[in-house]
Amino acid sequence: MTHHYKFWGWGLADEVVPEKEGAEFTGWIAQLIKHQGGLDAPTPAPTVDEIQLRAPRLDVPSDLTAICSTTAEDRLIHHYGKSYFDAARCFERQFDNPPDVVARPRNEQELIQVMAWAERVGAALIPYGAGSSVVAGIEGRNCEGFNGVITLNTQALDQVLEIDPVSRAARVQAGILGPALESALQPHGLTLRHFPQSFQYSTLGGWIACRAAGHYATRLTHIDDVTQAVRMVTPRGVAETRRLPSSGSGPAPDRLWLGSEGTLGIITEAWMRLQGRPDFRDGATVYFDDYFKGAQAVRAILQAGYAPANCRLISAQEAQSQRAANGSKHLLVLGFESSHGPVDRDLAAALEIAASFGGSTTAGAEAGGDSNSWRRAFLRLPYYREVLTSYGFMLDTFASAITWERFEAFHHAVKADTEKAILEVTGQPGLVTTRFSHAYVDGPAPYFTFFAKGTPGQLSRQWREIRHAALDSVIRHGGPATHHQAIGRDHRPFYDKERPEATAQILRAAKSALDPSGMLNPGVLIDAQKPH
Amino acid sequence: MTHHYKFWGWGLADEVVPEKEGAEFTGWIAQLIKHQGGLDAPTPAPTVDEIQLRAPRLDVPSDLTAICSTTAEDRLIHHYGKSYFDAARCFERQFDNPPDVVARPRNEQELIQVMAWAERVGAALIPYGAGSSVVAGIEGRNCEGFNGVITLNTQALDQVLEIDPVSRAARVQAGILGPALESALQPHGLTLRHFPQSFQYSTLGGWIACRAAGHYATRLTHIDDVTQAVRMVTPRGVAETRRLPSSGSGPAPDRLWLGSEGTLGIITEAWMRLQGRPDFRDGATVYFDDYFKGAQAVRAILQAGYAPANCRLISAQEAQSQRAANGSKHLLVLGFESSHGPVDRDLAAALEIAASFGGSTTAGAEAGGDSNSWRRAFLRLPYYREVLTSYGFMLDTFASAITWERFEAFHHAVKADTEKAILEVTGQPGLVTTRFSHAYVDGPAPYFTFFAKGTPGQLSRQWREIRHAALDSVIRHGGPATHHQAIGRDHRPFYDKERPEATAQILRAAKSALDPSGMLNPGVLIDAQKPH
């Protein structure tokens, strides 16, 4: 039931960090960044009752009332995504762009009806999976020229419609949440094996629309790699690609829909490629004194042809910040998985390569850190973040990618620029830590985390200034606007610098063809067009 | 030197099959398809002198004369690609749509000048690598509304500009031929490892524009998989994607250029992902009595997680037709390769799986057939095909793909429909053989070859009728218009049925934005637009 979602933070309304645990964690971060002085009293989380929302500007037609809601709680739940920026604005009681209506179609026909209604009344239509966007991808900003905003929640489209055990694929409705999908596949011995950090509260359709990446480090990283066919409803008709293992017919049709972030249509179904469940696993933690030696080891392992499922190079500071290790060593968490046979030979070979770059599985073991302690911290982090926000601290992450030959310079520059911005914006030093979220034969996906102490009431502005400095650095040093967090509205300035102008022209032209009134998720990827 | 190319067949002008060998091979095919009666006298190949070409309709501007040619031989070399249809039309002396001018820019600036000239004078501009298209991708058909046709040969852009050994990538000009590219990489211990059948006479730019597939069966099959960044000249500017190991920034920009077949712009450079040269190899031939048991073995091997470089399931008739085996058994040619360690364990595991489906490495060995004999036949085939054409025989191939659960029905239907068409069109039975060109976890890429005896002087029409029946069957039974032979002009009717209408709208819109006069390769992928 969607009304159980927390509107100002991650997860369900009753999933909150106990006060004592929250204060203790905040104290830990304060200590890490050497924050002088004690903690401010935490700002209480907002409640539905205290917020004055703009009155809905749209009248729901009688044939859609059964699937439309205009309650304050629903409109608040669908107001923001789950970024630090979103949390900060919630604690600042900024709720300026609520959707006027939340629609929850139960089938494709109802979805088409909602879309037709939106177009008829000149409303913007914002597709919504489970709202885990961290880039303002589902927010009603940039809708000024429209007569209202309808958020289309796809979660009622939550069925696995067909399973094909021979080709190992399933036809799945787009609104299904991660756990429900895996539960449906489990009895068949199959898995999509796509586990983004948002897994619990994000949908298949969102993953496809935003080119999500799972937590496995190599090979099938992005959802793109496991998508066999896509079905999408556009204002100009339903589009569907063929179920094929591969094709060479013109530009791959679904590659333009993957990553379209709701600007061209709403994904309703997809055929997804599945795998057997891995029964063979083995892993180890390797300790390095030098982060860049660790990076060289990762490069050598991948270029030798190994594809570890887990290949997370975690900086000493990052492991320490998550209390997964004592901070004296950098960690490379290596893990191999297979559904067909032992992986010991692969692991041994990878460890041998790591050793040749100074990595050791024993020297440094007192530093602590392993896959499990790291994973627990990883899943707890979204909850800790909202606590930090309440205390006026910042915790944010951004995903990038770079080829190996530029990695060291890129890493230094982005880290330094982010640290500088934190100092300038907050007046005191912060902490910038890093890990590899994914690794490729030709380069890693460095993932940055920063901690800072901000000023309650100013956090959203301070975040924006720091984040913009960080992303600007990523772009200037050759990286992408994102590796797997999507573009939304917040990454637009950086995306606009990254993507070729020809691509912008193509996207604008494609949108004009499929969504002539420009109503679908205005402002995401390309500039909003006003309705005719 | 391009003037050495054969204009009516494959390869260089002096690469012809000796008369006796040609007659002998043709006799073999006649015997295979049980052709009654002896061979007709072969039609001689056309010569430049006997052909009356339309006079060039364009005047080359003085600043471009150094790179433009209007000689009859050049215009003939650039008239057709290398399909059976092309060869048949050459032997029928049909040369109705020659380019008026062949331009060979030596750098991007000259390429831009040629493009500007074409637009200025209302000419169509057809990008040309080495002309290996088998789908009329480089032919001056569908250019009726234009004031002339300029073929832009990219072969002077043939340099490897940079090699990055750290990230294993190279920046390469698009007009380089396969062998020159590999030669330049070889001293660095690196390889692109992309070996399409056309390797010797095709270019990197052509591979990218047409989404070519190499001869390795699994994992990195299409050029898409090894393309890191692309640079493309469009009539509205130069576009370039960032060099990144991966990205999640909106729809992947180069995925719309890959497969655009020259309709949006001309690819001038690309950063390509390289690999270490494989030093470890092992392989075996497995014999099956039942082709579909062989297919099940391939499926099981791939779904168990193995990725053989070679995984070619060849029907008994196909192996026999190529004189690589005696036709009593179906063959599965399996080969593993690695740059980092022995592959014996993988091979043993794959053979064990194959055995569980009735495959044997010994029972049937008298049938003959192995990777080497097959490979020799594979490379010789384009030359044999032109000989067959001269004798009034047909030899053609088409590439497809299908998910496993539909494979057997698909295979039967496409084979039967093609055989039926051959009988109806030629009045006598032909032969339809098959192999897997590639194999994926979720399905194979069945590759069909057909042989038939046609009527000299009618071959191009007869081919079209048979081919259209075959492709129509592929499409009706769920396959793509092609797996790796591109769309060009000949696959258009089938592509139009395969691709979603939304994709056509996107392509038309994209083309209008980047190529408003519609001059780039008119008629390929989408309908030609007349110049303003």
Side-chain angles (χ1 to χ4, degrees):
Chain A
M1 297 295 289
T2 46
H3 68 267
H4 284 153
Y5 279 90
K6 195 186 290 171
F7 75 86
W8 51 270
W10 184 248
L12 302 185
D14 57 1
E15 293 176 335
V16 288
V17 177
E19 198 179 312
K20 198 177 151 200
E21 182 187 345
E24 198 274 328
F25 184 79
T26 308
W28 165 245
I29 297 301
Q31 179 189 332
L32 265 190
I33 64 172
K34 303 184 176 61
H35 172 61
Q36 307 294 325
L39 302 185
D40 302 320
T43 305
T47 62
V48 173
D49 298 339
E50 68 178 288
I51 300 157
Q52 281 292 325
L53 281 186
R54 175 176 62 197
R57 297 166 294 177
L58 298 169
D59 294 318
V60 178
S62 58
D63 59 337
L64 293 175
T65 49
I67 57 165
C68 287
S69 163
T70 55
T71 69
E73 183 172 12
D74 253 341
R75 294 171 67 208
L76 282 169
I77 287 171
H78 294 79
H79 191 296
Y80 284 126
K82 302 299 177 189
S83 71
Y84 181 85
F85 186 41
D86 296 332
R89 289 182 293 172
C90 286
F91 278 92
E92 291 167 10
R93 274 64 181 169
Q94 291 186 32
F95 296 94
D96 300 335
N97 296 300
D100 297 285
V101 178
V102 175
R104 292 187 178 87
R106 294 161 297 191
N107 53 55
E108 196 174 273
Q109 189 45 47
E110 288 184 346
L111 189 152
I112 291 169
Q113 280 177 262
V114 173
M115 194 178 272
W117 169 46
E119 190 162 19
R120 202 166 60 236
V121 298
L125 188 66
I126 299 184
Y128 184 104
S132 69
S133 173
V134 290
V135 291
I138 51 88
E139 174 180 338
R141 248 190 294 163
N142 309 98
C143 298
E144 292 75 18
F146 294 87
N147 298 326
V149 174
I150 301 164
T151 294
L152 192 146
N153 181 314
T154 58
Q155 279 183 47
L157 305 169
D158 64 353
Q159 299 299 301
V160 174
L161 300 170
E162 272 181 83
I163 292 182
D164 167 5
V166 177
S167 305
R168 290 194 175 170
R171 183 160 71 95
V172 187
Q173 287 188 303
I176 198 168
L177 295 170
L181 172 56
E182 286 296 332
S183 295
L185 301 176
Q186 204 267 337
H188 302 268
L190 295 168
T191 171
L192 182 64
R193 221 158 158 266
H194 183 77
F195 302 107
Q197 191 174 17
S198 62
F199 178 72
Q200 208 166 356
Y201 301 118
S202 58
T203 62
L204 175 65
W207 301 341
I208 294 173
C210 299
R211 297 178 68 201
H215 78 220
Y216 291 107
T218 64
R219 207 152 272 169
L220 307 176
T221 59
H222 281 87
I223 195 77
D224 316 27
D225 304 321
V226 291
T227 302
Q228 194 181 64
V230 177
R231 185 174 167 94
M232 185 172 79
V233 173
T234 83
R236 289 299 166 267
V238 178
E240 191 170 46
T241 59
R242 287 194 170 209
R243 245 196 100 192
L244 291 168
S246 189
S247 166
S249 293
D254 46 18
R255 289 285 183 163
L256 195 70
W257 308 353
L258 281 154
S260 59
E261 301 191 15
T263 60
L264 301 179
I266 299 182
I267 292 158
T268 55
E269 282 179 21
W271 272 98
M272 302 305 296
R273 299 191 174 109
L274 308 176
Q275 300 173 54
R277 305 183 77 85
D279 293 324
F280 301 89
R281 286 195 179 82
D282 209 349
T285 301
V286 189
Y287 300 90
F288 287 92
D289 288 320
D290 180 337
Y291 192 71
F292 300 103
K293 287 280 185 188
Q296 286 172 33
V298 171
R299 175 168 78 85
I301 290 166
L302 267 66
Q303 292 186 348
Y306 299 101
N310 223 328
C311 188
R312 222 174 289 268
L313 182 68
I314 305 170
S315 76
Q317 284 184 311
E318 175 139 336
Q320 185 189 24
S321 75
Q322 299 185 358
R323 293 192 287 193
N326 73 9
S328 63
K329 298 272 185 178
H330 307 287
L331 313 179
L332 173 58
V333 179
L334 269 181
F336 287 86
E337 296 188 5
S338 164
S339 60
H340 67 278
V343 292
D344 54 305
R345 204 159 80 167
D346 282 357
L347 179 63
L351 290 177
E352 197 179 312
I353 293 171
S356 74
F357 290 93
S360 166
T361 51
T362 51
E366 75 284 356
D370 58 50
S371 186
N372 287 332
S373 58
W374 190 85
R375 190 178 141 80
R376 276 191 301 275
F378 177 73
L379 293 175
R380 195 79 179 139
L381 214 61
Y383 299 103
Y384 279 147
R385 194 166 66 176
E386 60 205 38
V387 174
L388 289 176
T389 313
S390 75
Y391 281 100
F393 282 76
M394 288 188 238
L395 159 52
D396 192 31
T397 61
F398 51 96
S400 67
I402 197 77
T403 47
W404 289 113
E405 94 289 359
R406 289 174 293 173
F407 165 62
E408 194 166 335
F410 176 86
H411 175 98
H412 286 311
V414 173
K415 190 169 188 296
D417 288 341
T418 309
E419 285 167 348
K420 180 160 167 279
I422 291 171
L423 188 59
E424 284 176 4
V425 170
T426 70
Q428 52 185 308
L431 180 66
V432 180
T433 69
T434 185
R435 67 172 181 269
F436 288 177
S437 65
H438 304 79
Y440 302 87
V441 174
D442 52 341
Y447 189 89
F448 295 89
T449 299
F450 69 82
F451 300 91
K453 174 68 178 76
T455 312
Q458 307 274 327
L459 294 174
S460 64
R461 178 189 59 78
Q462 290 177 323
W463 170 87
R464 200 168 48 229
E465 289 173 24
I466 297 167
R467 174 86 165 198
H468 280 220
L471 267 283
D472 190 60
S473 182
V474 168
I475 290 291
R476 270 188 294 113
H477 293 95
T482 189
H483 173 270
H484 63 263
Q485 294 181 327
I487 299 302
R489 291 167 178 82
D490 285 344
H491 282 186
R492 266 297 301 287
F494 315 104
Y495 176 65
D496 286 2
K497 288 182 195 163
E498 176 199 356
R499 52 118 188 82
E501 177 54 25
T503 299
Q505 291 176 294
I506 289 171
L507 288 177
R508 276 185 222 115
K511 190 171 175 69
S512 293
L514 301 182
D515 175 25
S517 72
M519 70 177 172
L520 288 173
N521 225 2
V524 168
L525 294 184
I526 45 177
D527 281 340
Q529 298 166 297
K530 298 292 183 294
H532 300 313
Chain B
M1 297 297 288
T2 46
H3 67 269
H4 283 154
Y5 279 91
K6 194 187 290 173
F7 75 86
W8 51 272
W10 184 249
L12 301 185
D14 56 3
E15 293 175 335
V16 288
V17 178
E19 199 178 311
K20 195 174 154 205
E21 183 188 344
E24 197 274 329
F25 183 79
T26 308
W28 166 245
I29 297 300
Q31 179 189 331
L32 265 190
I33 63 171
K34 302 185 175 59
H35 172 61
Q36 308 294 327
L39 302 185
D40 303 319
T43 305
T47 62
V48 173
D49 297 339
E50 69 178 287
I51 299 157
Q52 281 293 326
L53 280 187
R54 174 177 63 198
R57 296 166 296 178
L58 298 169
D59 294 318
V60 178
S62 57
D63 60 336
L64 293 175
T65 50
I67 57 165
C68 287
S69 163
T70 55
T71 69
E73 183 173 12
D74 253 341
R75 295 171 66 207
L76 282 169
I77 288 171
H78 294 79
H79 190 297
Y80 285 127
K82 302 299 177 190
S83 71
Y84 181 85
F85 186 41
D86 297 332
R89 288 183 294 173
C90 286
F91 277 92
E92 290 166 10
R93 273 66 180 168
Q94 290 186 34
F95 295 96
D96 300 335
N97 296 300
D100 297 285
V101 177
V102 175
R104 292 188 178 84
R106 295 161 297 192
N107 52 53
E108 196 175 272
Q109 190 45 47
E110 288 183 347
L111 189 152
I112 291 169
Q113 279 176 262
V114 172
M115 195 178 272
W117 170 47
E119 190 163 19
R120 201 166 61 237
V121 298
L125 188 66
I126 298 183
Y128 184 104
S132 70
S133 173
V134 290
V135 291
I138 52 87
E139 173 180 338
R141 248 191 294 163
N142 309 97
C143 298
E144 292 75 17
F146 295 85
N147 298 326
V149 174
I150 301 164
T151 294
L152 192 145
N153 180 315
T154 58
Q155 280 183 47
L157 304 170
D158 65 353
Q159 298 299 302
V160 173
L161 300 169
E162 270 181 83
I163 292 181
D164 168 5
V166 176
S167 305
R168 291 194 175 171
R171 183 162 70 97
V172 188
Q173 287 188 305
I176 198 167
L177 295 170
L181 172 57
E182 287 295 332
S183 295
L185 300 177
Q186 204 268 336
H188 302 268
L190 294 169
T191 171
L192 182 62
R193 219 158 160 267
H194 183 77
F195 302 107
Q197 190 174 16
S198 62
F199 177 72
Q200 208 168 357
Y201 301 119
S202 58
T203 62
L204 175 66
W207 301 340
I208 295 173
C210 299
R211 298 179 67 201
H215 77 221
Y216 291 108
T218 65
R219 206 151 272 168
L220 308 176
T221 59
H222 282 87
I223 196 76
D224 315 28
D225 304 321
V226 291
T227 302
Q228 194 180 65
V230 177
R231 185 175 166 93
M232 184 171 81
V233 173
T234 83
R236 289 298 167 268
V238 179
E240 192 171 44
T241 59
R242 286 193 170 209
R243 243 196 103 191
L244 292 168
S246 190
S247 166
S249 294
D254 47 17
R255 288 285 181 163
L256 195 70
W257 308 352
L258 282 152
S260 59
E261 302 191 16
T263 60
L264 300 179
I266 298 182
I267 292 158
T268 55
E269 282 180 20
W271 273 99
M272 303 304 296
R273 301 193 173 107
L274 309 175
Q275 299 172 55
R277 306 182 77 83
D279 293 324
F280 301 89
R281 285 195 180 81
D282 209 348
T285 301
V286 189
Y287 301 90
F288 287 92
D289 288 319
D290 180 338
Y291 192 70
F292 300 102
K293 286 281 187 189
Q296 286 172 33
V298 170
R299 174 168 79 85
I301 290 166
L302 267 67
Q303 292 188 347
Y306 299 100
N310 223 327
C311 188
R312 222 173 289 269
L313 182 67
I314 304 170
S315 75
Q317 284 184 312
E318 174 139 336
Q320 185 189 24
S321 75
Q322 299 184 0
R323 294 191 287 195
N326 73 9
S328 64
K329 298 273 185 179
H330 307 288
L331 313 178
L332 173 58
V333 180
L334 270 180
F336 286 87
E337 295 189 6
S338 165
S339 60
H340 67 279
V343 291
D344 54 307
R345 203 160 81 165
D346 282 356
L347 179 63
L351 290 177
E352 197 178 313
I353 293 171
S356 73
F357 289 93
S360 166
T361 51
T362 50
E366 76 283 358
D370 58 49
S371 185
N372 286 332
S373 58
W374 191 85
R375 191 179 139 80
R376 276 192 302 274
F378 177 73
L379 294 174
R380 194 78 179 140
L381 213 62
Y383 298 104
Y384 279 147
R385 193 166 67 175
E386 61 204 37
V387 174
L388 289 176
T389 314
S390 75
Y391 280 101
F393 283 75
M394 288 188 237
L395 159 52
D396 191 31
T397 62
F398 52 96
S400 67
I402 198 77
T403 46
W404 289 112
E405 94 288 359
R406 288 175 293 173
F407 165 63
E408 193 167 335
F410 176 86
H411 174 98
H412 286 309
V414 173
K415 190 170 189 295
D417 288 341
T418 308
E419 285 167 347
K420 181 162 167 276
I422 291 172
L423 187 59
E424 284 176 3
V425 170
T426 68
Q428 52 186 306
L431 180 65
V432 180
T433 69
T434 185
R435 66 174 181 268
F436 288 178
S437 65
H438 304 80
Y440 302 87
V441 173
D442 52 341
Y447 188 89
F448 295 89
T449 298
F450 69 82
F451 299 92
K453 173 68 178 75
T455 313
Q458 308 276 328
L459 294 175
S460 64
R461 178 189 59 77
Q462 290 177 323
W463 170 88
R464 199 169 48 229
E465 288 173 23
I466 297 167
R467 173 86 165 197
H468 279 219
L471 265 285
D472 191 58
S473 181
V474 167
I475 290 292
R476 270 187 294 111
H477 293 94
T482 189
H483 173 270
H484 62 264
Q485 294 180 327
I487 299 302
R489 291 166 179 82
D490 285 345
H491 282 187
R492 265 298 302 286
F494 314 105
Y495 176 65
D496 286 3
K497 287 181 196 163
E498 177 198 357
R499 53 118 187 83
E501 176 54 27
T503 299
Q505 292 176 294
I506 288 171
L507 288 177
R508 277 185 221 115
K511 188 169 175 71
S512 292
L514 300 182
D515 175 25
S517 72
M519 71 177 172
L520 287 173
N521 223 3
V524 167
L525 294 184
I526 44 176
D527 281 340
Q529 298 166 296
K530 299 292 183 292
H532 299 313

